[in-house]
Amino acid sequence: MLLEISHPLELIKLTASLDSFLHGLLPSWAALLIEFILVGVVLLAMYAVIALILIYAERKITAFFQCRYGPNRVGKYGLIQSVADMVKILLKEIIHVDSVDKFLFYLAPFFVICASMLTFAALPFGNGLHAVDFNVGVFYLIAVSSLSIIGVLLAGWSSNNKYSMIGAMRSGAQFISYELSAGLSLLTVAVLAGSLQLSTIVADQSYVYHWNLFRGHLPAVIAFIIYLIAGHAETNRGPFDLPEAESELTAGYHTEYSGLQFGFYYLAEYLNMFIIAGIGTTMFLGGWNAIQVEGWDGFNQVMNFIPSYAWFFAKTGVLIFLSLWVRWTFPRLRIDQLLNLEWKYLLPINLVNLVIMAIIVVFGLYIK
Amino acid sequence: MKDIKELVLETIPSAVVEEKQKLTVTVESRDLHPLVATLKADPAFRFDLLMQLIGVDWGEKLGVVYLLSSSADISKEIVLITATDDRKNPLLYSVTDLYETAHLNEREVFAMFGIRFINNPDMRRFILNSDWTGFPLRKDYNADPVLNPVNLVSKEMTDIAPSIYETPQGEIKEKLTDIFEKDDYVINIGPQHPSTHGVMHFRTALDGENVKKIDVHSGYIHRGIEKLSEELTYSQILHFTDRLDYLAANINRHALCMCVEKAAEIEVPERAQYIRTIMDELTRIESHLVAWAAMCNDIGSTTAFIYGFREREVILDIFEKVCGGRLIMNHNVIGGVMFDIYPEFQKDVEAFIVQMRKALIEYHRFFSGNVIALGRMKGIGMMSKKDAISWAVTGPAGRGSGWSCDLRKYVPYALYDKVEFNEVIRTECDSFARYMNRLDEIEESCRIIEQLLPNIPEGAFATKTKPIIKLPEGQFFQRVEAARGEFGVFIESHGDKFPYRIKFRSPSMALVSIMPHICRGEKIADLIAIGGSMDYVIPCIDR
């Protein structure tokens, strides 16, 4: 379907030639080992870079929402502000608190950071840029991303601080509730896509009307909206930022953390935002596929010229922007309102939606 | 006035009734409670509002001055005085069973004068630490820092309230009560907390997310302004008032200036009156903007916070051009104002009013109609009219409970009798009513300014006064409508150039004192939101 010439900027050629080069030079186990390490390093580096970019973007976008300038002193337009902040947080002293449960306290940030890092492995960033392609990819994503709640609960519990405790308890209640909605709305799409493998799901969404968002008619749109709400809630950001509600609980579960450990939570928050948007892109918006309209060949060629990872990041960026927009517009919900929203509205809607989607799929009513 | 004297003398034949600046009644300590009860219950007068409770040290006697008023017509006033000559163990009778607002006020009097109130259920010191040596506002107080050294070690809070009560047989007994139950989950909201609007300290017992009980601690920034004032001349005291409720600095200062001007019979030029009134209203707008912004921030909308400050900046710029100060303005002086307005003042203010009206529409679109915001404000923090009166909660908060208590209407001062404006009253009694009241009062303030602005007369902006002003002997009161409610000044003068006793009635203290009552059973998140809707300023309480 797609011309080879239309992909001059794709990284798949580079990775393929690197692979054949390594295999030609070394025994296959050694080549594999080097590849594993390379992939790990690249993912880690991406992890840090994406976080830096997101932090800068959020500060700048928020500033424009709030009639401010945002960072504008360090570098042109404050571009290296977040790099400077990163250096600062790396150099900062970690203040040791006496009354905490030491082992759990220092362990907790790693749960959070590991959970979001594990998710990275299974996200398809572009054509061929997909570290692990499980046949149960969606399931894996849901399972792994829920691990971070352990870190949050541990942090709140081991801090030996009443504010942190309340924050962690709120976080637990919130996360478990909204995980249901997020999971069910992804399940709705999985029913439509007929697969849990992310590469298949992406490959099936070639033309715009094949995007799961449009292919499944209204139920898919509903699932998308619910996914955005639930995903937003899972990232603990306003209006769902109750666990760290700064006007009530000062900083919630990470009140007692300092230096790099606090940095881990900070980093994980931004990465989680990216991951939620990334999953949304993959599942609903055609993943790394370019915008293709059947019949518009010239248009399609131009669009195809833009590499697939750029498409992925652009679509993800749109979802992140939506999330920022919501965060800086709405006031915070109260815990009972938050749980009401989930258990009384989102969950029942979701269940009905799932049944409708199943009917649509069984009778083949979706756009083929 | 005839009837009230009769009523007083009928109830307490030994009472001494004098016509001073206000009708003043002096009674024995034992007779005070029955007299207050009668005045409160009498259907013709209904003195159901305890506006001020002022401790005074008269040398051989320690006493309390009560300023009572009526909620139906807050221009009605009566002053009651009672005293005891036992300086070792001074005891007076509490009026906490009649006025809830007396609780914190009596505790403050105990801290400052050592007077204990019989039948007050909680006789801990307010504002001062429980182990403070001496009673600061007594005239024989020893201020040697050796007696009360700066403590560098953190102390445990005890949460045990001593009280003193009278048995039916007339015996006086003491007892100790625990504030919290044994296994209460108590968290400290404050003194360092992002949303207490200053260094307020709420010891809060929680039941899950619900607030079970709140114990108010204050005094973390107590500066002893009333004590300091006793050794300064009247013009030197003025700048303290700006540092009480710093968001409504100009109005507080206006109150003290008026009090001195009335007592010393100093005429204020017409131009100064115009400037004062306009500046007061600008201050009110500025204060309400901060209140709005801070409340939105408390509910979690940071963007709204910045929007509020955006408009406030314009007012501060105008203030700066007028008198050089932005927050603390030091503009009013005895006899007028310190600086005349600058030539483009009218133009700037007019431009601001246009901008403010646009911004108000934006605020309503952005926040007032937001579903989440409404869910966080409607039906939350219910304060009935009865409670508001009993706790003497005035200002936009009191008017949100349907209580008409605007002093600008009832006791017009400056030029408020010459302008037309509406008293904004809502009867919903919830956070949303208080929130909307503030935004509507901004509009009313704009109207007042618009009426005054074109008519500022030419002439002097201040009367020449002597550098040192001596007030005649007597007790002088002045009440004004500050941004948060009624701000009161009490001066007792013994004919000297220094006040013998000066007391500021803090509107914020009433707002804070009702917090434990209206927050009971609400969620902890709502405690913060209700605090935002009450809009207290802590330096005003701590003085």
Side-chain angles (χ1 to χ4, degrees):
Chain A
M1 177 179 60
L2 302 170
L3 298 168
E4 187 62 17
I5 196 162
S6 69
H7 281 179
L9 296 169
E10 283 298 350
L11 291 174
I12 190 160
K13 283 184 202 157
L14 183 73
T15 51
S17 60
L18 189 70
D19 179 61
S20 55
F21 170 72
L22 282 174
H23 274 281
L25 211 66
L26 297 165
S28 74
W29 63 266
L32 266 180
L33 186 69
I34 290 176
E35 281 171 5
F36 284 155
I37 293 170
L38 272 180
V39 167
V41 169
V42 167
L43 278 182
L44 271 179
M46 252 177 63
Y47 191 82
V49 170
I50 289 175
L52 286 185
I53 293 170
L54 276 181
I55 290 171
Y56 175 75
E58 159 144 58
R59 291 174 72 171
K60 215 64 188 171
I61 292 171
T62 310
F64 292 132
F65 277 132
Q66 300 184 341
C67 328
R68 299 186 281 116
Y69 289 116
N72 62 354
R73 285 288 187 277
V74 190
K76 188 95 177 150
Y77 310 115
L79 271 171
I80 41 177
Q81 176 72 53
S82 44
V83 179
D85 284 350
M86 183 192 69
V87 173
K88 183 200 75 174
I89 217 160
L90 286 173
L91 296 177
K92 262 186 133 173
E93 181 191 359
I94 293 178
I95 297 165
H96 293 274
V97 187
D98 283 339
S99 55
V100 300
D101 182 326
K102 295 255 162 29
F103 177 67
L104 294 181
F105 185 75
Y106 294 124
L107 185 69
F110 291 100
F111 271 102
V112 180
I113 209 95
C114 287
S116 58
M117 230 175 243
L118 285 175
T119 331
F120 252 56
L123 270 185
F125 291 99
N127 190 5
L129 299 178
H130 193 174
V132 194
D133 188 19
F134 288 114
N135 57 358
V136 288
V138 179
F139 181 70
Y140 170 82
L141 283 180
I142 297 175
V144 165
S145 64
S146 345
L147 273 180
S148 68
I149 187 61
I150 299 179
V152 171
L153 277 175
L154 275 186
W157 181 260
S158 64
S159 288
N160 200 6
N161 170 327
K162 288 172 180 172
Y163 281 123
S164 304
M165 185 69 202
I166 296 172
M169 285 307 170
R170 280 183 180 182
S171 193
Q174 176 178 339
F175 201 90
I176 290 166
S177 311
Y178 281 86
E179 187 72 0
L180 274 176
S181 271
L184 274 175
S185 52
L186 289 184
L187 194 62
T188 315
V189 189
V191 168
L192 177 65
S195 168
L196 288 175
Q197 191 161 14
L198 288 167
S199 57
T200 325
I201 294 176
V202 173
D204 284 350
Q205 307 181 61
S206 48
Y207 288 115
V208 168
Y209 61 81
H210 282 147
W211 289 7
N212 285 333
L213 176 61
F214 303 117
R215 193 152 67 128
H217 307 296
L218 195 59
V221 177
I222 293 173
F224 183 58
I225 292 168
I226 290 177
Y227 174 77
L228 285 186
I229 296 173
H232 195 75
E234 277 188 47
T235 53
N236 287 345
R237 292 162 68 79
F240 304 105
D241 57 345
L242 292 102
E244 47 190 294
E246 79 278 348
S247 57
E248 299 147 30
L249 304 177
T250 57
Y253 58 87
H254 53 53
T255 307
E256 299 288 354
Y257 285 93
S258 51
L260 192 56
Q261 292 179 324
F262 172 75
F264 277 173
Y265 282 106
Y266 196 60
L267 209 64
E269 182 187 323
Y270 282 93
L271 265 304
N272 282 338
M273 185 166 73
F274 178 81
I275 288 163
I276 293 293
I279 297 175
T281 304
T282 310
M283 299 294 288
F284 292 95
L285 302 180
W288 45 259
N289 280 315
I291 292 181
Q292 304 277 290
V293 184
E294 199 167 18
W296 295 9
D297 288 334
F299 175 81
N300 289 351
Q301 287 220 358
V302 175
M303 289 294 127
N304 253 327
F305 194 75
I306 302 168
S308 57
Y309 48 87
W311 280 109
F312 177 81
F313 284 108
K315 289 174 186 174
T316 310
V318 169
L319 292 187
I320 289 175
F321 179 77
L322 268 181
S323 149
L324 290 182
W325 195 353
V326 167
R327 180 182 186 189
W328 296 110
T329 305
F330 289 114
R332 188 181 304 120
L333 284 161
R334 204 172 52 213
I335 184 76
D336 56 326
Q337 294 167 337
L338 180 92
L339 296 180
N340 267 352
L341 175 67
E342 165 64 22
W343 294 97
K344 289 191 182 162
Y345 299 99
L346 294 188
L347 191 63
I349 293 174
N350 227 331
L351 288 170
V352 174
N353 199 32
L354 181 60
V355 173
I356 296 174
M357 182 59 94
I359 293 170
I360 287 180
V361 171
V362 166
F363 291 98
L365 299 174
Y366 54 88
I367 301 171
K368 292 186 184 83
Chain B
M1 286 307 247
K2 205 84 198 148
D3 312 329
I4 188 149
K5 278 188 199 166
E6 276 167 19
L7 178 72
V8 169
L9 289 172
E10 216 171 84
T11 325
I12 311 293
S14 63
V16 183
V17 184
E18 293 162 283
E19 290 273 8
K20 293 190 186 169
Q21 193 197 24
K22 318 261 163 189
L23 184 73
T24 309
V25 181
T26 313
V27 291
E28 289 293 315
S29 63
R30 186 160 285 279
D31 298 332
L32 181 91
H33 190 274
L35 175 62
V36 173
T38 316
L39 286 175
K40 189 186 174 196
D42 189 87
F45 300 108
R46 285 221 163 275
F47 281 108
D48 53 357
L49 185 60
L50 176 61
M51 224 55 239
Q52 297 191 25
L53 195 158
I54 307 151
V56 187
D57 177 4
W58 284 294
E60 71 280 9
K61 279 189 171 187
L62 285 170
V64 177
V65 178
Y66 298 85
L67 176 65
L68 299 188
S69 184
S70 169
S71 64
D73 175 6
I74 55 169
S75 62
K76 274 200 234 167
E77 289 162 330
I78 186 169
V79 177
L80 306 182
I81 298 176
T82 185
T84 167
D85 42 18
D86 182 359
R87 288 183 74 90
K88 278 265 149 45
N89 182 24
L91 292 174
L92 291 175
Y93 284 89
S94 167
V95 290
T96 44
D97 53 335
L98 300 168
Y99 308 101
E100 295 285 352
T101 184
H103 280 278
L104 290 188
N105 281 296
E106 287 182 355
R107 282 175 58 190
E108 189 194 330
V109 170
F110 169 53
M112 297 299 164
F113 294 92
I115 303 171
R116 287 191 295 169
F117 291 85
I118 301 166
N119 296 334
N120 183 327
D122 178 357
M123 265 286 87
R124 283 173 299 161
R125 289 172 212 234
F126 191 59
I127 293 182
L128 292 185
N129 273 344
S130 56
D131 54 357
W132 192 267
T133 320
F135 302 104
L137 282 177
R138 282 198 190 180
K139 291 290 171 185
D140 55 2
Y141 173 66
N142 184 357
D144 191 344
V146 176
L147 289 176
N148 291 298
V150 176
N151 205 331
L152 299 177
V153 188
S154 140
K155 284 186 238 174
E156 280 294 311
M157 308 213 78
T158 42
D159 293 329
I160 296 170
S163 59
I164 185 160
Y165 66 103
E166 197 177 39
T167 59
Q169 288 79 36
E171 263 180 288
I172 288 178
K173 285 191 172 170
E174 293 187 34
K175 70 170 176 189
L176 297 174
T177 335
D178 284 322
I179 306 280
F180 296 111
E181 283 166 37
K182 209 169 171 199
D183 41 355
D184 272 347
Y185 188 79
V186 181
I187 67 168
N188 291 299
I189 297 187
Q192 273 87 39
H193 190 279
S195 325
T196 50
H197 301 209
V199 274
M200 193 70 222
H201 185 181
F202 292 123
R203 299 262 295 155
T204 312
L206 292 182
D207 178 12
E209 283 264 351
N210 295 333
V211 174
K212 205 168 146 195
K213 187 169 186 180
I214 299 177
D215 185 31
V216 178
H217 287 256
S218 193
Y220 289 91
I221 47 168
H222 183 240
R223 295 147 291 174
I225 280 177
E226 287 165 8
K227 183 73 180 174
L228 290 170
S229 303
E230 289 174 8
E231 287 157 15
L232 294 173
T233 63
Y234 290 101
S235 35
Q236 285 174 318
I237 298 169
L238 287 177
H239 75 279
F240 282 144
T241 50
D242 287 25
R243 282 144 181 91
L244 293 172
D245 179 353
Y246 52 85
L247 293 175
N250 204 49
I251 309 181
N252 300 349
R253 195 162 161 125
H254 192 177
L256 181 57
C257 286
M258 273 199 290
C259 192
V260 176
E261 282 153 8
K262 273 188 193 162
E265 287 168 353
I266 295 169
E267 193 74 22
V268 182
E270 184 87 12
R271 186 174 174 86
Q273 295 283 29
Y274 270 84
I275 299 174
R276 278 181 174 184
T277 315
I278 293 172
M279 293 297 264
D280 273 6
E281 288 312 307
L282 282 176
T283 310
R284 195 182 311 281
I285 296 176
E286 174 240 0
S287 167
H288 283 347
L289 280 176
V290 177
W292 178 79
M295 182 181 181
C296 295
N297 193 38
D298 286 347
I299 299 182
S301 182
T302 325
T303 307
F305 181 75
I306 311 249
Y307 282 14
F309 271 62
R310 182 184 59 192
E311 268 70 52
R312 175 176 182 256
E313 202 60 23
V314 182
I315 303 185
L316 293 189
D317 285 343
I318 293 175
F319 285 172
E320 194 181 352
K321 281 192 197 168
V322 171
C323 59
R326 288 169 71 84
L327 189 68
I328 310 288
M329 295 157 64
N330 292 328
H331 191 220
N332 284 318
V333 288
I334 295 163
V337 289
M338 200 183 279
F339 302 104
D340 201 0
I341 48 176
Y342 59 96
E344 290 89 38
F345 178 78
Q346 273 106 323
K347 218 176 75 198
D348 281 359
V349 175
E350 270 163 20
F352 165 72
I353 289 176
V354 173
Q355 184 191 348
M356 189 66 240
R357 293 218 163 109
K358 267 192 207 144
L360 275 178
I361 298 171
E362 190 185 27
Y363 294 171
H364 285 307
R365 281 178 54 197
F366 178 59
F367 200 81
S368 313
N370 188 306
V371 192
I372 301 177
L374 289 178
R376 293 294 308 277
M377 294 193 287
K378 282 211 162 157
I380 303 295
M382 301 301 282
M383 174 172 70
S384 67
K385 187 179 173 187
K386 198 168 135 264
D387 289 340
I389 292 166
S390 185
W391 268 273
V393 176
T394 49
R399 291 192 282 276
S401 297
W403 175 27
S404 160
C405 58
D406 195 333
L407 276 165
R408 295 175 294 174
K409 285 277 182 205
Y410 284 92
V411 199
Y413 54 93
L415 293 175
Y416 288 115
D417 48 350
K418 292 194 184 153
V419 289
E420 258 182 50
F421 66 100
N422 297 325
E423 185 180 357
V424 183
I425 297 175
R426 280 190 165 72
T427 49
E428 290 88 349
C429 305
D430 55 3
S431 289
F432 189 61
R434 300 190 274 272
Y435 164 92
M436 286 301 281
N437 264 7
R438 287 210 179 82
L439 290 182
D440 288 356
E441 280 190 16
I442 290 179
E443 170 58 31
E444 292 305 320
S445 293
C446 287
R447 272 183 65 199
I448 295 176
I449 296 171
E450 270 181 336
Q451 292 169 48
L452 294 175
L453 212 52
N455 306 321
I456 302 177
E458 294 297 322
F461 57 86
T463 322
K464 275 237 151 65
T465 52
K466 279 181 262 172
I468 288 174
I469 298 159
K470 282 187 182 174
L471 293 197
E473 212 162 308
Q475 293 174 332
F476 307 101
F477 293 87
Q478 178 64 47
R479 306 157 71 193
V480 298
E481 181 71 21
R484 281 158 193 80
E486 177 173 333
F487 180 80
V489 178
F490 165 80
I491 297 178
E492 174 158 339
S493 168
H494 284 189
D496 223 337
K497 59 185 176 181
F498 308 134
Y500 185 77
R501 166 92 170 102
I502 191 160
K503 153 96 184 176
F504 300 108
R505 192 247 176 205
S506 146
S508 298
M509 186 140 136
L511 296 171
V512 163
S513 67
I514 200 170
M515 284 292 284
H517 179 70
I518 57 176
C519 293
R520 195 173 299 135
E522 301 280 12
K523 299 272 180 303
I524 182 169
D526 285 334
L527 161 69
I528 304 296
I530 295 168
S533 78
M534 300 304 274
D535 179 34
Y536 35 76
V537 167
I538 309 308
C540 189
I541 302 170
D542 284 354
R543 296 191 293 280

